[in-house]
Every structure is written in C-alpha cells, then in structure tokens.
Amino acid sequence: VKASNSLSFSLQAKMSRPVQARRLEGIDKNVWVEFVKLAATYSKVNLGQGFPDFPAPDFLTEALTRALSGGNHMLHQYTRAFGHPPLVKVLAQFFEKLLGRDLDPMTNVMVTVGAYQALFCCFQALVDEGDEVIIIEPFFDCYEPMVKMAGGTPVFVPLRPNPPKDGRLMSSADWQLDPAELASKFSERTKAIVLNSPNNPLGKVFSRGELGLIAELCVKHDVLCISDEVYEWLVYDGKQHIRIASLQGMWDRTVIIGSAGKTFSVTGWKVGWVVGPDRLLQHLRTVHQNSVYHCATIAQEAVSQGFQRELTLYGKPESYFVQLPKELQQKRDWLVQSLDAVGMKPIIPEGTYFLVADISQFKSDVPDVPNSDEPYDYRFIKWMVKNKGLAAIPLSAFYSEAHKNNYTNFIRFCFAKEEATLKAANDILQKWKQEKTS
Amino acid sequence: MFLASRNFCCRSIRTCQLRTDLLSRSIKHSASATMPFRHKNTRRIEGLDSNVWVEFTKVAADPSIVNLGQGLPDISPPSYVKEELAKAAAIDRLNQYTRGFGHPSLVKALSQVYEQVCGRKINPLTDILVTVGAYGSLFSTIQALIEEGDEVIIIEPFYDCYEPMVKMAGAKPVFIPLRCKNDGNSASSADWVLDPAELANKFNSKTKAIILNTPHNPIGKVFTREELQVIADLCIKHDTLCISDEVYEWLVYKGNKHIKIATLPGMWERTVTIGSAGKTYSVTGWKLGWSIGPEYLIKHLQVVHQNTLYTCPTPLQEALAQAFWIDYKRMDDPDCYFYSLSRELESKRDRMAQLLKEAGLKPVIPDGGYFMIVDVSTLNVDLSDVDEKQPYDYKFVKWMIASKKLSAIPLTAFCGPETKKQFEKYIRFCFIKKDSTLDAAEVILKNWNKQ
C-alpha cells in the first residue's frame, strides 16, 4: 500500500498551485536578454550593450594581481559585510573632498554588488507599497521593475527635446524637463525621485539650475533623491558634474550611487557603493545584510588601491579620472562625425559613453509597419544588426510601456570602444550610405 | 499660541524682539512648506536590522582572541584555485560583464558536476542560476517563490538568515526543533532528530516551503535517506516546495553519505538545491553560490536576479569554472578536493572534540560540516550575577571571550523565540582552522581548569 501511495504522489510531482510570488508580476521581461543575444549572434561591430572593449587600466589589474600574489590568503575569505575597510575608508576620504563634508566610512558608505545592487537596496529599503517614485524618461531600464518589485508606483516625467534653431546638431543639454510638468508629478504619495546624471542613454549632464529645481521640489515635498551617478567622471567639454547632495537641504535626503565598473572600466568586477546620511544608509544596510550580506573581498581590495592612486593623483593630468574622459571625448567626436556624415543625426552627449542618434532621415531601408506592436526603432535595430552587422540599442527600450511610441526614431550607441571598433563602425556606415545613394 | 504669547511679551524690548524673531521664523518655515523628515524604513525590513554576526565579529576582531566563532576558514584555499583566479585576472575581456544568470563556462561546469552527483540531465542555461554566495541563492529563491500569506517551515537550530529572509518576503516562519534523542545526552549529531508527528503537524494548506539544511549548520547533522523521505512525503502530500541548503555537501565524515533530497522520487520538480563556492573551495570571500532546480522554478529566481544585481563578477566565475573542471575530471579519485578537504577536516574535528572533552565540556560530534556544538552546562559556570537579559549561552560566550580569550557563537542565535531554553546550554565552535589556531585553542582548553 505504501509503495502505490508513493507512486501516485510522484505522478503529481510538479507544484499544482501558482508557484511564483506576486512581486514578480510584470517584471519578467528584460530588454538586454534579447538584444545581447542578437548582438552575440549577428554583430560584427557591437556598439550596443554598455561596456568598454578596451582594457581596464594597468594600475587596477596590477592591484588585483598584487593582492593575489601577496600571500594574504585571508583575502579569499569574508570581509566586513558593509564594505571592506580599506575600500570604505578611501571612498569616505574621496567623497569628503567632493562633497565638502566629513564622512564616517562605517556609516556613510556601503559597498554593493555593482551600482545595480545599490539601486535595489535603495528601493527595498525606502519604497513601500503605495509609494510613488518619479522616474525621468528616458531612463536606465531597471528603475521601473525595481520600483514595481518594491510595490511602488513609477510616475514618469519626460526630458523633452528642444531642437536648436540655428540648425546645429542637438546636444543632450537640449533635452530638458518642463518645470511645471515636473512639479505636477509630485504628490503626497511621492516617496522618491530617481536622478541619473550624467544620464544614460542621452548623456545629459544636469546643470546646477536643473538640479536646483529638483532639489527645491524634494525639500518642499519631503521627497528622497536616489542619485545614480555612475558616470560621474565621464563628463566632456569642460563641463562639471554637480552632485545634488551638495545642494541646500539635499544631503539628508539623498543616496548617492557609484560604480567601480564605470569609474575604472571594470564592469565585470561588480563593485559599487552608496554614500549618504546614516539615517538612510542604516536601512540599506538592513536590506544588504538580509540579501547578499558580503561582497567579494579581493575585488574590493583592488578597487581600494585604485582609489588610493587616484586620491594622490587627484586633478593631475595622470589621473585616470582626467585621462579617461579625455580619451572618451575623442571617441565621442569620431562617432559624432561618422554618424553625421551618413545622415544619422547624433545628439552630442555632454557625458557618459553613450550617444543617441536620430535615424528619421536615414531609415529608408527599414519600412514602417503600421499597427506593429513593436516600436519602429526596435525593428530598425534588429534589421541593422542582421543586415549590416552593427549593433545598437533602440531608445524605446528606455521608456515606460505607455511611452514607448513617443520617440521611435532614435537609437543608442556605446562609444567606449577601441579606435579599431569605431573605425569598423564607420566603414559599415559609409558603405551603407553608398549603397543607399547608388 | 505664538500670537497669544506676543500679547504678554513686552516686559522688555529685548524679549519682544526675541519673540518676534521666533514668530517670523516660524512663519517663514510654514511658508516654505517644508515638512519634517518622515522617512523611516519600509515595512518589509521592520525588525530585521539586528544581526548576531555584527555583535560577535566585532568582539572577536581582537587579535589576541582565538577565534573559533564565525564560520570562515583560516586555512588557505587550494593553490590551483588561487592560480586560476590569477590566470583569469590576466584576461582582459573577463573584466567586463558576463551572462547575467551565470558565466557560460561556470554553468557548464556546474551542470557536469551535478549531473554526475544527481544522476540526471541538468540544463546549464535553464536549470542553474549563479548568485552572490549561497546567501544570494537563498534570497533569490525566497523572493521568487515566497510571499505574504505563505508559511515556511524552518528546522531549529537554523542558519540565522532564514528567518529574516522569510519575514522580508512577508511570510510567516513556522519553527520545528531538532530534539536530542537521548534526553539531553548527545554524543553525536545523529542523536538530533525531528519528531515525524510533530513535523507533520506543522504542514497545512498555507505551507509554501520547508527549508532543509544538510549537512546542518550548526549541529553538523547529515540527514539520512529515511529522514529525508519523511520530509519528502510531506512535501508531496501538501504540495510544498523544498529549499535545500546543501552548502556543506562535500563535508561529510566517515560512515556518512550526503543525500540530495532532490534525487528522491517526486522531489526534483519541487526542490531548489543551493550550493556554495565558499564552502566547496574554502573561498568564502569569493561570494559565489548557485541554485539548481527545474526550469519552471529557476526561471523565477532568474527574474529576481535580473532585478536585483543582474550579474555576478566575471573573473571569479571563470576561475571557479576552471577549478570545477580540474576536480570534475578526478571525481573518481580520492585526491579530488571534494573528498580531500573532508578528510583534512575530519582529523581537525576529532582533535577539537578530544580537547573539549579533556576540558570537561561535552561536544556533539558532527557527522558533517565544519561546526561543532558543545554543551557547556557541565562546567557549571555561574553567570547569574551578569544581569543582562540574554540567554545563558550569550553570557557564557561573552564571559569565555573575556576570561579565556576564546570565541564561539551562542546556539540561541540560531533559534526561534520559543526554544531558547532548550538550546541555551550549547555554543558553536568552527574547526576549519589551521593547526596553529587549533594549537592556541588547545593551550586555552588545557589550562581551562587551572584558573
């Protein structure tokens, strides 16, 4: 009898009731899964996903090698959960300079598994069911599902393009918030606003005035600011990255997010951090200790040495934070030239290593399909990678579902690439243009 | 109120001025409509801020203390593991993002190793998720599959994160203790068992999952096939999931065998099995773990992962993959690290047990894992004058750290609120320590009674 009971039980082996938690509703899709696969399959030149194809700086990889050969095998064991002491100490020192205030490495800094996990900790720690979170469009795509997973309601406000009258190429500075529109998005349910400056995908570097506008509203409505500043060092044309936390009334209500991946061109190391007041960070620590608890020790050790070096070279020409933006500005300018020459209209980014181009004049090869459920730029990207071997990302990927069809003639390129890669991209574009005109 | 006070104020011009200033300032404040800062923690983390490790790792950070508390090896990882990381560190493309759900060479290696162990085909892309330590696997599993209204059975004593993770998911932890068979006289971890009737009573229609940890931290129990069958039968009967934390899977001592509950009939489809590079290769600081299970469960963990940290560090995953290939090729060889480590630890276990007995303590010999619990009541250390409201084991450990310079972890740190009385006479030692650490512990234990 026992045997036949277990047989009939095993026939119903699979869970018969709904198995996944409701917090996963609506967040299962992810643009990168599809586009990374496409690029891997078809692309000869990949300007899609945002990571450098040039090497990480020697001083950083040497720091990792030194840590490994140094004989301290305890670097292979757990370190302090909220951040390896040498790393939080040097981050505190660095950000003290930048923010002009004293920072306690133990309470004002926490290390995370990339800026991605820092964002996750912010939303889980600070956003409850029913809270509204303002997200500026276009946005790094994870903000929306993270807000939803925390039970919050995303409220979108767009950057709107104001094309220059004199016919010059648009700059990311020409995409702006409408102050009245922004103010209208704040309600008594607004818990936080997510700010990303320099902005991915447009490359916009918010000006002091624009930040002041946001800050005023945060203070007025007692709203938190989650400030994603991963591209803080990638700012061009002598522009300055301004930290909203340094504005009046903002330190106490802002969590600043940073990334070793973007700072030191090591996206695969997944070391990020948050800087902020203890009364906010204490809640992020609670989330962290109940989700991943520790971050990998050896990567933190190497990054701390990278920052030590930058601390001594701060502001000097040999500083990586001076050299990297210089190199990337050159690459930006090459790509701008390439795109402009063929009739794709680049929007010149003030920062980041991304550039958005307007393809409305260029798109003759890829016909419009009315009533398609896919935005035009998605179709254009897929056609381009399959037929021309050039990978990019559609701008609609950075918009909420409701607004995906607002800007369907723009695509995003990543220019953190070797000169050879950018030249190869140029060749593809030139050939394509010739094929169109002949 | 301010207006009223103004009418009474003019005893002196200065007082009037002061009050006028206060009044105008208060008007300015309300005119700018600044609200008092109202931001506190979200409901999901209410009450989850304290953590036993924060307290005890701080205390034991003093280098003059022999630290047998926190579970981290002070022995070196095998040299080939360190070499693989050095090799990976030299390959430039490994400094950039890899596949989100797990670096391809790593998930391939894991699928090969576990196909061998489980005797079934495992798809590296759909049946595996690589996470930030087994800790991250537990979190992904619980966030993916557990929610408000669910109950989750947790066996006491338990690795302390299970309870707050279940609570953070909005669910209710339901505890069931392991009970000592011989009425408190326990020589072995095998003496600690679940009462089948008591266990069956814990299951109801709300029970979403049971968390199993074998080999068990802190007791070191290795659940037998029969014990696993009891749990499996209940899971199938009540349509419950099993979250099986098997991080110590390779650390089983002579006469014991680690059995994966997922290999029992009817269990693959309802089990997520969790493993750890930290425990497999003595590299807790690499923070890599994995969840293995059927696609229809793992896909939800992948959704959590893509919305929490997206991808794990690349060079560490590549190094781990290479280490796994080296040991996969010698899985039939006793020199395979999966077996050689447990041999090394068995002698440390035996040495530790001997020293503790000689000092008059009563160790519970573990069948697996690298922890040992010890009954300290035999020493009759009177701590009634310590007027903290903490359970005896907390007081004992603090006293032992201060007076003997030896640290351990109190067992009630691993219990729910109801069983503190049952477990407060035990403390937990970690024995994955190099010889010099155990030598230092030996000196302390040998001199214990001489003070």
Side-chain angles (χ1 to χ4, degrees), chain A residues 13 16-17 19 21-23 28 73 76-77 116 124 127 150 191 222 262 265 267-270 289 292, chain B residues 39 42 44 49 95-97 135 143-144 146-147 169 207-208 239 270 282 284-287 306 309 314:
Chain A
S16 58
R17 53 173 145 169
V19 73
R22 278 174 302 239
R23 67 178 64 83
D28 49 318
H73 63 77
H76 295 283
Q77 307 307 334
Y116 215 98
Q124 289 286 310
V127 175
K191 191 67 191 287
D222 190 26
K262 308 297 190 285
S265 310
T267 60
W269 287 25
K270 291 294 289 185
Q289 89 194 16
V292 305
Chain B
H39 300 280
T42 48
R44 69 180 60 85
D49 48 316
N95 289 317
Q96 307 307 332
Y97 292 130
Y135 214 97
Q143 284 285 309
I146 307 295
E147 61 184 347
T207 311
K208 191 70 185 284
D239 196 26
R270 59 182 64 254
S282 311
T284 59
W286 285 28
K287 286 294 293 191
Q306 88 195 13
L309 49 99
T314 316

Side-chain angles (χ1 to χ4, degrees), chain B residues 122-150:
Chain B
I122 295 174
N123 183 319
L125 301 182
T126 60
D127 300 346
I128 301 179
L129 173 67
V130 175
T131 54
V132 176
Y135 214 97
S137 265
L138 285 160
F139 184 74
S140 306
T141 306
I142 292 169
Q143 284 285 309
L145 306 173
I146 307 295
E147 61 184 347
E148 196 150 340
D150 289 340

